């Protein structure tokens, strides 16, 4: 299965996440869950929005490479959960920039991760190609929006902007929601089982 940006799961309804195993006790990186653009509060051009949420660099261009959580970051961006309205607001200081309805996030979560496998692989360079050994595989089912929201509250699920001005245009790498680390899979999914670990024979 080639790397892709499909809105659905990778293989027969199962999302496949594979990454390189870290040496020793090093923590792995964040896990991409899905991409979902917010409902914007204002009709702005891409450049106008980048200037609103981002910062100006030394060369005069604007960028926004920013992790957004329930606490304000260095750009004044934060997530505000409104449980009565069943939505998550995106704020710039005290101004609402956009929002996500719980229903929309739940649909994307189930669309992408109703069933998922999370794989870690050791990597080495062979003579003619890179070789992989699949050391760990965890199978998960039954994610829920309630678990998702709880992890947003604890800042263990984050939203990210990856936008920058290039040659007068906005280059945008999407709107990812990401889980902080592997150890939190059991907090997002109602069912989890490890089918392979690195102590087993290969």
């Amino acid at each position: 299965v080639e790397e892709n940006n499909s809105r659905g799961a990778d293989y027969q309804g199962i999302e496949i996440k594979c990454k390189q195993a870290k040496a020793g006790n090093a923590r792995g990186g964040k896990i991409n869950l899905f991409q979902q653009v917010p409902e914007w509060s204002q009709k702005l051009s891409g450049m106008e929005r980048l200037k609103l949420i981002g910062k100006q660099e030394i060369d005069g261009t604007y960028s926004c490479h920013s992790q957004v959580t329930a606490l304000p970051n260095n750009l004044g961006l934060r997530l505000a959960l409104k449980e009565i309205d069943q939505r998550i607001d995106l704020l710039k200081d005290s101004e609402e920039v956009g929002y996500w309805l719980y229903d929309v996030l739940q649909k994307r979560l189930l669309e992408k991760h109703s069933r998922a496998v999370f794989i870690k692989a050791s990597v080495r360079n062979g003579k003619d190609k890179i070789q992989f050994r699949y050391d760990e595989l965890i199978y998960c089912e039954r994610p829920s929006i309630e678990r998702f929201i709880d992890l947003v509250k604890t800042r263990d699920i984050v939203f990210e902007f990856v936008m920058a001005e290039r040659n007068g245009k906005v280059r945008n790498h999407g709107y990812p929601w990401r889980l902080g680390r592997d150890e939190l899979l059991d907090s997002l999914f109602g069912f989890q089982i490890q089918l392979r670990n690195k102590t087993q024979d290969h």
Side-chain angles (χ1 to χ4, degrees):
V1 177
E2 294 185 0
E3 186 174 359
N4 62 78
N5 291 316
S6 171
R7 291 181 66 85
D10 291 315
Y11 178 74
Q12 296 188 5
I14 300 174
E15 179 68 7
I16 300 171
K17 295 291 186 183
C18 189
K19 65 180 180 179
Q20 183 174 344
K22 300 292 183 180
N25 295 320
R27 287 174 54 180
K30 294 191 286 290
I31 298 171
N32 288 333
L33 295 175
F34 57 82
Q35 301 221 15
Q36 183 59 47
V37 61
E39 293 289 334
W40 300 112
S41 300
Q42 301 179 59
K43 290 185 178 181
L44 301 173
S45 68
M47 185 61 68
E48 289 171 333
R49 184 164 289 115
L50 178 58
K51 289 180 178 180
L52 173 65
I53 64 175
K55 65 178 182 178
Q56 191 169 23
E57 305 291 351
I58 296 175
D59 63 2
T61 62
Y62 285 83
S63 69
C64 186
H65 294 89
S66 185
Q67 175 177 288
V68 188
T69 72
L71 290 180
N73 64 15
N74 63 324
L75 296 177
L77 296 169
R78 71 180 178 91
L79 303 174
L81 288 90
K82 292 187 175 179
E83 298 198 31
I84 293 177
D85 298 323
Q86 295 285 283
R87 68 188 230 178
I88 300 176
D89 284 1
L90 172 65
L91 304 180
K92 167 75 171 183
D93 299 322
S94 59
E95 180 183 354
E96 180 190 299
V97 176
Y99 64 89
W100 298 265
L101 295 175
Y102 283 11
D103 284 350
V104 172
L105 295 173
Q106 177 175 260
K107 180 181 177 182
R108 290 293 294 120
L109 182 62
L110 296 178
E111 194 173 49
K112 195 73 172 171
H113 285 287
S114 287
R115 296 187 294 158
V117 290
F118 298 87
I119 301 166
K120 290 183 181 179
S122 299
V123 181
R124 70 179 183 183
N125 291 317
K127 290 184 178 180
D128 301 317
K129 57 187 176 182
I130 299 175
Q131 298 176 328
F132 299 90
R133 185 183 69 190
Y134 298 102
D135 295 323
E136 297 183 21
L137 188 152
I138 298 174
Y139 174 80
C140 300
E141 288 183 358
R142 301 196 293 273
S144 72
I145 188 61
E146 292 80 13
R147 290 168 175 265
F148 183 94
I149 295 301
D150 285 343
L151 288 165
V152 173
K153 289 178 182 177
T154 57
R155 306 192 304 280
D156 290 311
I157 284 181
V158 304
F159 175 73
E160 294 187 354
F161 282 112
V162 192
M163 304 167 66
E165 180 183 353
R166 294 287 184 272
N167 300 318
K169 297 181 179 180
V170 177
R171 185 174 182 184
N172 188 352
H173 293 279
Y175 301 94
W177 286 89
R178 308 183 76 191
L179 181 67
R181 57 190 187 278
D182 297 343
E183 292 82 0
L184 295 165
L185 289 173
D186 62 350
S187 297
L188 178 62
F189 292 90
F191 175 81
Q192 172 184 311
I193 183 170
Q194 187 162 32
L195 299 177
R196 168 175 284 208
N197 62 58
K198 56 188 174 183
T199 62
Q200 295 174 322
D201 293 334
H202 298 279

